[in-house]
Amino acid sequence: MKFSYVMLPDYPLRESLASIRLADELGFHACYAADETWHKDLWLLFAAAAQQTSRIRFGPSVSSVVLREPSLIAQAAATLDELSDGRAEVVLSSGNFGLLAQYGIDWTVTKPLSRVKEAAHVVRTLLDEGAITFDGEFFKYTGLFTFARPVQERVPVKLGAMRGPRSFRAAGEHSDGVHHALSYTREAYDYLVEHFTAGAEKAGKDASSMDIGAWVVFATGPDSAVAKEAARSMVGLYASSMPAEQLERNGVDPGAMKPIVDALGAGDLARAIELTTPELGERLSIAGTPEECVAKIKREIEPSGVNHMILAVTDATLVKQFMGRELPEVADVDSQLRLIHDRIMPAFAGD
């Protein structure tokens, strides 16, 4: 089991760089970030981090192929790969639907899965060959080339997928792996792996050798209640992007989420947190003491065949910034990274 740190790059950049250096020293597999306008630019941050680290990998999880043209994603990834001496990768998706709405884009008419599959072909071709001529439904190029060339023989290109089953199958068939965000039950991960495997087998690939990642809301610390309260404060914000089918696979009635989503939409963050019950917060996160986190991963996620935990570490800064709530007793990011290394990673060392 690999462990990676996924950040929202909203901290002072010196702090983010220090946390990435620590994750590198502790042996985390990768550092990912959301490629979204809401946050600081991950490509610039990771370009700086590449010069200060030696092992950890970098890339977007995820980059939207609606807002960022895929040939530019390939150019950025190849440049980052050279800067990091072969440590770049990309995870593609149609993007955050809430962010698309702020651009006046109705995601329902963008044919998201078809667009992502076509974009994956574009990125793969440019990374591998440095040039592309392509007449697709969404993207068209005539002799487009780039001198941005990767160091790796093959930069991993993966897909982010949440709804399924077609998105999970597409990831298995058309990419090097899948990052599945915001699921926490055995049922949800069995469903993911079943359809991802079917897609991989269709393309003649061994799914077990590919990256199958669980992107989860995460908080840990010595005080279980404090960590769970931090996660609960953020759960509504994240869960508002979960499709109804995914909520159901996680044992949550989509109707129960509607008042929370409505409160968030109205800007009533305190009400959204109040409506997120402790039970719902615990169901839709991995939080608590390190031992509690290990137990949930071993019970709900690992048995399905997931081989990569991607931890969206929640601390007091994020809770304050996004939800306006003061929780100063929550362990900071660096303390949580050390706890993950010291007390969670060893439980999976032989996996």
Side-chain angles (χ1 to χ4, degrees):
M1 181 75 79
K2 302 186 293 287
F3 282 81
S4 292
Y5 164 42
V6 59
M7 62 162 48
L8 293 180
D10 299 317
Y11 301 83
L13 292 177
R14 290 185 184 277
E15 293 181 16
S16 293
L17 287 168
S19 294
I20 294 170
R21 289 196 302 270
L22 176 62
D24 181 56
E25 293 165 7
L26 294 174
F28 280 73
H29 173 72
C31 180
Y32 301 105
D35 189 8
E36 297 171 341
T37 318
W38 293 333
H39 315 293
K40 297 175 185 179
D41 185 82
L42 72 88
W43 298 101
L44 291 173
L45 171 62
F46 288 167
Q51 307 306 299
Q52 302 180 22
T53 55
S54 60
R55 296 180 299 176
I56 197 165
R57 300 179 65 79
F58 298 108
S61 182
V62 292
S63 189
S64 167
V65 301
V66 175
L67 294 181
R68 195 181 288 275
E69 213 280 341
S71 64
L72 299 181
I73 296 175
Q75 176 198 37
T79 303
L80 180 60
D81 200 59
E82 181 181 352
L83 283 170
S84 64
D85 195 25
R87 292 183 280 142
E89 54 188 64
V90 296
V91 187
L92 308 174
S93 84
S94 57
N96 184 308
F97 295 153
L99 179 59
L100 293 181
Q102 292 181 333
Y103 278 88
I105 298 171
D106 178 1
W107 71 268
T108 64
V109 300
T110 63
K111 302 177 72 172
L113 183 56
S114 296
R115 184 183 293 267
V116 170
K117 289 193 291 186
E118 193 170 293
H121 169 76
V122 172
V123 174
R124 178 82 276 150
T125 301
L126 267 175
L127 285 171
D128 289 350
E129 302 177 17
I132 185 170
T133 294
F134 181 67
D135 185 17
E137 180 180 359
F138 307 97
F139 309 106
K140 301 178 187 296
Y141 313 95
T142 302
L144 177 67
F145 64 91
T146 177
F147 290 114
R149 306 303 303 131
V151 173
Q152 291 177 87
E153 183 176 344
R154 181 181 175 89
V155 175
V157 177
K158 309 168 190 179
L159 300 189
M162 291 175 67
R163 188 183 297 270
R166 291 171 59 236
S167 62
F168 301 144
R169 291 176 179 170
E173 182 178 359
H174 299 288
S175 82
D176 299 311
V178 63
H179 285 190
H180 176 51
L182 305 176
S183 278
Y184 305 91
T185 65
R186 176 70 184 273
E187 177 186 353
Y189 284 105
D190 282 348
Y191 186 87
L192 159 70
V193 173
E194 174 191 352
H195 292 288
F196 178 79
T197 300
E201 290 177 347
K202 183 178 179 181
K205 296 184 283 188
D206 175 11
S208 65
S209 68
M210 300 169 70
D211 186 30
I212 307 177
W215 193 115
V216 298
V217 177
F218 179 89
T220 194
D223 187 319
S224 174
V226 167
K228 290 176 180 177
E229 188 64 13
R232 184 179 76 88
S233 299
M234 297 292 289
V235 156
L237 182 68
Y238 285 109
S240 64
S241 66
M242 295 172 69
E245 306 96 312
Q246 185 184 12
L247 285 167
E248 290 169 352
R249 290 195 294 270
N250 281 275
V252 176
D253 176 6
M257 280 302 303
K258 187 176 186 308
I260 299 172
V261 174
D262 289 346
L264 286 167
D268 192 346
L269 303 182
R271 179 63 175 161
I273 295 172
E274 178 186 346
L275 291 170
T276 305
T277 65
E279 293 77 17
L280 183 61
E282 194 161 349
R283 179 171 289 274
L284 295 181
S285 68
I286 294 180
T289 64
E291 291 69 30
E292 288 176 306
C293 295
V294 167
K296 187 164 185 177
I297 295 169
K298 284 190 171 290
R299 182 179 69 247
E300 304 289 352
I301 301 178
E302 184 188 36
S304 296
V306 170
N307 53 31
H308 188 183
M309 293 303 305
I310 305 161
L311 307 181
V313 176
T314 303
D315 71 348
T317 299
L318 281 187
V319 173
K320 172 65 175 176
Q321 187 155 336
F322 281 88
M323 304 306 289
R325 190 178 189 203
E326 298 280 1
L327 290 176
E329 63 273 24
V330 179
D332 62 22
V333 166
D334 289 358
S335 296
Q336 293 194 50
L337 292 176
R338 290 188 177 93
L339 282 173
I340 294 164
H341 170 267
D342 293 345
R343 294 167 58 184
I344 295 180
M345 287 182 181
F348 300 89
D351 298 348

